[in-house]
Amino acid sequence: MKQICVIGVGYVGIVTGACFADLGNKVIALDVNQERIENLNKGIMPIYEPGLDELVKRNMQAGRLSFTTDYAEAVEGSEFAFIAVGTPSGVNGEADLQYVAAAAKSIAQNMTEPLIIINKSTVPIGTGDWVADIVKREQKKPVEFSVVSCPEFLREGSALSDFLHPHRTVIGSFDRDAANKVAQLHLPLRAPIVITDLRTAEMIKYASNAFLAAKISFINEIADICEAYGADVKEVAAGMGYDARIGHHFLDAGIGWGGSCFPKDVLALAYMAEAKGLDPRMLNTTLDINYDRRKAVVSRTAELLGGSFKGKTIGLLGLAFKPNTDDMRDAPAIDIAQELTASGASVRGYDPVAMDVARKILPAVEMFENPYAMAKGCDALIVVTEWNEFKQLDLAKVKILLKSPVIFDGRNIYDTATMKAMGFTYRAIGR
Ligand code: NAD
Ligand code: UGA
């Protein structure tokens, strides 16, 4: 049984902690947010993630997983310390490393035995070396340590399964022995292991996220061309995807990407490139195409309503940036709701799990307890998040409840012919 501490109990930290505990390790997970730790000790999860509650409770009961705010308690006796704190966008798009710096400092000040410090947060190229400098500087007495990069590739909404069945484990370090020990820890995941240097591992993470974001922006550009010429982007994507060099994944055209990662990571990579005098045209275009999607949803819905939102009520089906999460960070729903409100519309919202989070961000949006209550009296609905429950809505009932039967399907979840046959004024993406 290895002892591991995980620093930062957010989306990545809690999943990392719970999964490593489930794999038979002893895990102490630490956060500076006292309320979060108190809640976890009472069995209240900080985030919504399918399967997490059960996994955390089972491992707490088995004595393999515990939570603390005390760095000395977390670091003492641990062989590995995972840093999984946030790296949000700074004012110019750069990654803000203040939380990583604070975590490195606190680890250094509390370590008394050799430790492998593993960076799981997504950090700019060179951060591993910088963390090593912080640790060296802040140690009370010299204790052996290594810094290893082991970026995380999980997606919210399917985080447990992604963590436990990764496509690959990337490990970057100049210390081969430390890299091998980290590889050993990941062996039960049975994924290919890529061992490389620190900077390359850090870059693999950014390049992967940027590529996926670009793939989505690409299909969204194709969607607009499909729409202009009468082709169907869903079928185009399916037809393209059979080519193994292209693949079926991440070709869903729609409102575009949001969330806590693609937006900040594409921005941070572009910032890194520009800082070295490069011109990251592809990254900048990927961003531009994406953020234009949100404006296009609003202008295309306006067209369905005769050009103006004045006095109109619009209902948003889904608020989270993707299904199966309550994460509202850079969710397209935020920009869409604000743009609608600025254009004179009254905006309503419904989301199966994200409404509590959304209320704080979108106070002007009236929240409803189910999609039917929201639809009653609306001039139009916009599908913002493709939650499964929206795919099985009683659309005949929705049509009766709406003031005018207008649906803008921003995630292509309904069938065009069916919607038209039912008498909806229906517009989707790229079809
Ligand atoms: P998050 O904001 O959900 O959680 C971060 C946690 O760190 C918070 O609970 C915060 O209180 C805590 N924290 C901040 N400073 C701390 C400190 N000094 N010591 C201890 N705890 C501290 O963040 P997240 O979404 O889990 O992302 C973490 C990192 O992982 C980011 O770099 C992100 O880019 C990367 N990542 C995220 C995902 C994802 O799906 N969310 C996936 C892969 C990688
Ligand atoms: C993404 C990556 O997929 C993970 O590999 C990575 O670990 C993570 O970022 C991260 O670094 O934090 P996540 O943001 O949780 O994961 O969710 P995704 O499933 O990738 O979706 C991101 C956004 O893209 C969502 O807004 C989603 O609606 C959108 N998307 C996704 C599309 O518009 N079309 C698609 O085909 C796929």
Side-chain angles (χ1 to χ4, degrees):
M1 185 188 252
K2 303 279 183 200
Q3 185 175 315
I4 295 166
C5 65
V6 177
I7 308 301
V9 188
Y11 285 85
V12 168
I14 188 143
V15 171
T16 302
C19 289
F20 272 125
D22 208 50
L23 292 168
N25 302 288
K26 179 170 191 258
V27 178
I28 305 166
L30 174 143
D31 205 289
V32 287
N33 182 334
Q34 196 161 350
E35 191 189 351
R36 191 162 270 219
I37 295 301
E38 278 167 10
N39 280 338
L40 275 161
N41 282 327
K42 287 186 225 150
I44 303 166
M45 297 303 114
I47 55 163
Y48 174 83
E49 182 62 41
L52 184 67
D53 188 278
E54 195 268 329
L55 189 74
V56 167
K57 285 179 183 157
R58 181 153 47 81
N59 283 285
M60 284 175 83
Q61 273 156 17
R64 287 190 297 265
L65 178 61
S66 60
F67 296 96
T68 184
T69 52
D70 181 354
Y71 264 97
E73 184 190 337
V75 174
E76 194 190 347
S78 288
E79 191 178 337
F80 303 97
F82 280 92
I83 297 180
V85 299
T87 49
S89 286
V91 278
N92 297 312
E94 77 282 10
D96 178 351
L97 292 176
Q98 62 170 307
Y99 306 107
V100 174
K105 185 173 169 185
S106 302
I107 292 170
Q109 290 173 345
N110 287 281
M111 61 189 282
T112 52
E113 293 165 64
L115 186 65
I116 297 177
I117 300 167
I118 307 169
N119 210 344
K120 248 206 179 311
S121 298
T122 303
V123 290
I125 297 116
T127 303
D129 300 324
W130 179 74
V131 163
D133 289 343
I134 295 177
V135 174
K136 219 175 282 166
R137 197 173 62 232
E138 296 293 337
Q139 281 184 334
K140 287 179 184 153
K141 61 175 179 43
V143 181
E144 224 179 282
F145 75 95
S146 287
V147 175
V148 174
S149 164
C150 182
E152 180 50 55
F153 297 96
L154 65 78
R155 289 163 299 173
E156 292 178 21
S158 52
L160 302 188
S161 137
D162 286 350
F163 187 94
L164 292 168
H165 309 286
H167 295 291
R168 76 300 207 186
T169 300
V170 174
I171 296 169
S173 183
F174 288 110
D175 178 344
R176 196 69 191 190
D177 186 45
N180 285 337
K181 284 184 178 150
V182 176
Q184 199 71 27
L185 191 64
H186 288 80
L187 279 186
L189 302 180
R190 294 166 172 271
I193 293 178
V194 179
I195 296 188
T196 181
D197 63 81
L198 257 176
R199 285 170 185 242
T200 304
E202 289 164 346
M203 186 58 176
I204 289 172
K205 174 63 192 176
Y206 276 104
S208 301
N209 270 6
F211 182 82
L212 293 170
K215 198 174 177 188
I216 302 167
S217 286
F218 173 82
I219 199 67
N220 280 329
E221 183 158 294
I222 295 295
D224 286 350
I225 303 172
C226 285
E227 213 164 311
Y229 281 91
D232 183 331
V233 74
K234 275 185 97 164
E235 291 179 25
V236 169
M240 289 166 64
Y242 286 110
D243 185 327
R245 293 169 302 172
I246 298 173
H248 288 289
H249 299 291
F250 281 69
L251 283 180
D252 289 333
I255 287 174
W257 37 269
S260 66
C261 294
F262 285 173
K264 78 166 172 63
D265 292 345
V266 180
L267 260 179
L269 187 56
Y271 180 89
M272 278 181 253
E274 278 158 12
K276 292 284 183 194
L278 301 168
D279 178 13
R281 280 169 293 172
M282 178 104 175
L283 299 177
N284 286 330
T285 304
T286 296
L287 285 159
D288 288 347
I289 292 174
N290 189 60
Y291 286 96
D292 282 350
R293 306 303 292 171
R294 302 178 182 192
K295 292 182 204 137
V297 172
V298 176
S299 60
R300 290 174 193 184
T301 307
E303 284 168 22
L304 300 178
L305 292 172
S308 166
F309 286 113
K310 291 263 166 347
K312 300 278 199 290
T313 302
I314 311 297
L316 303 183
L317 282 168
L319 300 165
F321 83 100
K322 63 177 286 191
N324 296 320
T325 181
D326 60 354
D327 199 342
M328 285 293 298
R329 288 178 283 183
D330 204 357
I334 299 172
D335 285 349
I336 293 169
Q338 286 170 346
E339 182 89 15
L340 286 167
T341 307
S343 309
S346 299
V347 185
R348 298 178 174 183
Y350 167 75
D351 189 284
V353 304
M355 285 195 294
D356 285 345
V357 184
R359 263 189 201 98
K360 294 176 200 132
I361 303 167
L362 293 169
V365 175
E366 192 183 355
M367 303 291 173
F368 286 78
E369 64 189 25
N370 66 63
Y372 303 104
M374 181 182 77
K376 194 172 175 204
C378 275
D379 294 278
L381 296 181
I382 302 177
V383 180
V384 179
T385 316
E386 66 278 33
W387 284 93
N388 273 340
E389 70 172 70
F390 301 152
K391 296 175 185 165
Q392 297 300 337
L393 276 189
D394 181 345
L395 290 166
K397 183 170 163 185
V398 169
K399 185 165 172 254
I400 294 166
L401 291 167
L402 287 170
K403 201 196 275 178
S404 55
V406 177
I407 293 190
F408 185 92
D409 182 357
R411 296 291 182 182
N412 281 342
I413 63 172
Y414 299 124
D415 176 61
T416 308
T418 310
M419 297 301 278
K420 296 239 155 107
M422 288 183 77
F424 278 102
T425 301
Y426 175 75
R427 185 163 174 186
I429 302 276
R431 292 189 290 150

